[in-house]
């Protein structure tokens, strides 16, 4: 028969919190639809603008948005409803065991483009010899491991997603105009190590990062990578600069 003080305090906190929602970060945008800063809007715009991705492999994270954005004109490859994708999920898991299995998987589904997120972990690169033995060659980003440059071209990326096109005759015009040949925004650690070792030139990477920022000045990933590789380039240049002669005379 009594009302506890704690209950009254909790009710007051809830009411005050609701009133403060519009004032607290990150801010509230009123309206209907999908929040522009919460989904890969620009990447989906690219698909429509360039007319690519008829048979699109998409990360499960983006499935719901792509249904909302592209259905019924385009079918989504997979989305978060695991209960209806049991056979496909088992097929994906089995195909991730090696390069040969994954290539067959993509061919079987006639995938001509990939719409990928930035994976949180690295993937082992496994080589299979003719006798069936598997050797781990190293670790790379998921997109570099499963969509290698020899067969796939990176044509778009931003802070949310990356788009790769299969190197086919149908895609060659878009690839010729838009491919990023030097920078890989997910596999940048491998490229950074290559620059340090001297096996990868830094100038093309810097050029493509500046290109990306010219196209999309708001891309935080491009800005951060540019600063990172620019610092490395200056450091390497300072290390290789010739030392002045000790007597002050140039020879």
């Amino acid at each position: 028969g009594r009302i506890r003080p704690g209950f009254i305090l909790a009710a007051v906190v809830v009411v005050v919190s609701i009133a403060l929602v519009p004032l607290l970060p990150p801010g509230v945008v009123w309206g209907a639809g999908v929040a522009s800063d919460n989904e890969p809007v620009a990447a989906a715009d690219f698909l429509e603008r360039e007319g690519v991705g008829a048979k699109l492999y998409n990360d499960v994270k983006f499935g719901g948005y792509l249904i909302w954005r592209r259905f019924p004109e385009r079918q989504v490859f997979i989305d978060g409803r695991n209960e209806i994708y049991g056979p496909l999920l088992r097929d994906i898991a089995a195909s991730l065991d090696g390069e040969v299995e994954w290539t067959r998987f993509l061919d079987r589904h006639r995938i001509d483009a990939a719409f990928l997120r930035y994976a949180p972990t690295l993937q082992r690169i496994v080589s299979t010899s003719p006798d069936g033995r598997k050797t781990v060659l190293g670790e790379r980003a998921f997109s570099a491991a499963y969509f290698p440059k020899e067969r796939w071209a990176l044509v778009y990326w931003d802070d949310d997603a990356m788009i790769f096109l299969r190197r086919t005759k149908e895609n060659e015009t878009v690839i010729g105009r838009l491919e990023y040949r030097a920078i890989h925004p997910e596999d940048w650690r491998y490229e950074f190590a290559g620059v340090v070792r001297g096996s990868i030139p830094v100038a093309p990477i810097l050029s493509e990062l500046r290109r990306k920022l010219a196209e999309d000045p708001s891309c935080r990933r491009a800005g951060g990578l540019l600063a990172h590789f620019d610092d490395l380039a200056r450091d390497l240049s300072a290390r290789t600069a010739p030392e002045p002669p000790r007597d002050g005379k140039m020879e």
Side-chain angles (χ1 to χ4, degrees):
R2 293 183 300 172
I3 298 177
R4 297 181 179 180
F7 178 82
I8 296 175
L9 178 61
V12 171
V13 170
V14 170
V15 172
V16 172
S17 298
I18 292 174
L20 288 175
V21 165
L23 305 177
L24 296 175
V28 175
V29 178
W30 303 107
V34 179
S36 60
D37 61 349
N38 195 43
E39 299 293 347
V41 178
D45 288 344
F46 177 89
L47 293 177
E48 295 183 358
R49 183 170 64 249
E50 298 296 335
V52 295
K55 290 290 184 179
L56 182 69
Y57 172 90
N58 64 272
D59 189 277
V60 65
K61 173 183 177 181
F62 299 135
Y65 176 79
L66 290 174
I67 290 175
W68 179 82
R69 179 71 181 263
R70 306 184 86 201
F71 187 83
E73 290 80 9
R74 299 293 185 189
Q75 298 290 322
V76 71
F77 185 76
I78 194 170
D79 61 75
R81 298 171 294 171
N82 293 343
E83 65 276 7
I84 69 173
Y85 290 108
L88 178 59
L89 288 170
R90 289 190 290 272
D91 194 8
I92 292 173
S95 300
L96 289 172
D97 283 344
E99 180 182 358
V100 174
E101 295 87 345
W102 182 252
T103 300
R104 288 174 179 170
F105 168 81
L106 296 176
D107 291 344
R108 189 162 61 250
H109 290 276
R110 296 183 295 165
I111 299 298
D112 64 0
F115 196 100
L116 305 178
R117 67 168 176 158
Y118 293 95
T121 58
L122 297 177
Q123 302 291 320
R124 291 186 304 169
I125 303 295
V126 179
S127 174
T128 304
S129 61
D131 60 2
R133 294 183 179 182
K134 295 185 178 182
T135 304
V136 177
L137 302 179
E139 292 185 333
R140 300 283 297 274
F142 175 86
S143 55
Y146 291 99
F147 295 89
K149 187 178 295 186
E150 296 77 21
R151 295 188 295 277
W152 298 85
L154 173 67
V155 293
Y156 178 87
W157 58 281
D158 57 23
D159 288 326
D160 299 313
M162 298 168 288
I163 296 176
F164 292 82
L165 297 184
R166 189 191 285 267
R167 295 188 185 277
T168 63
K169 184 176 182 180
E170 292 76 15
N171 289 332
E172 64 183 9
T173 300
V174 177
I175 292 174
R177 287 191 295 110
L178 301 174
E179 181 181 6
Y180 287 88
R181 296 175 176 85
I183 185 61
H184 194 305
E186 186 183 32
D187 204 36
W188 68 268
R189 294 173 182 83
Y190 173 83
E191 296 182 327
F192 191 90
V195 172
V196 172
R197 293 193 303 266
S199 60
I200 297 177
V202 71
I205 294 175
L206 293 174
S207 176
E208 289 190 350
L209 287 170
R210 293 188 179 104
R211 164 197 159 188
K212 176 60 185 177
L213 283 172
E215 297 170 351
D216 181 9
S218 66
C219 185
R220 298 185 302 275
R221 182 176 290 264
L225 288 175
L226 178 59
H228 208 45
F229 278 96
D230 204 23
D231 287 344
L232 176 60
R234 286 197 295 267
D235 183 52
L236 293 175
S237 179
R239 292 182 188 180
T240 57
E243 295 183 4
R246 294 182 180 180
D247 60 1
K249 298 179 179 180
M250 299 296 293
E251 297 182 357

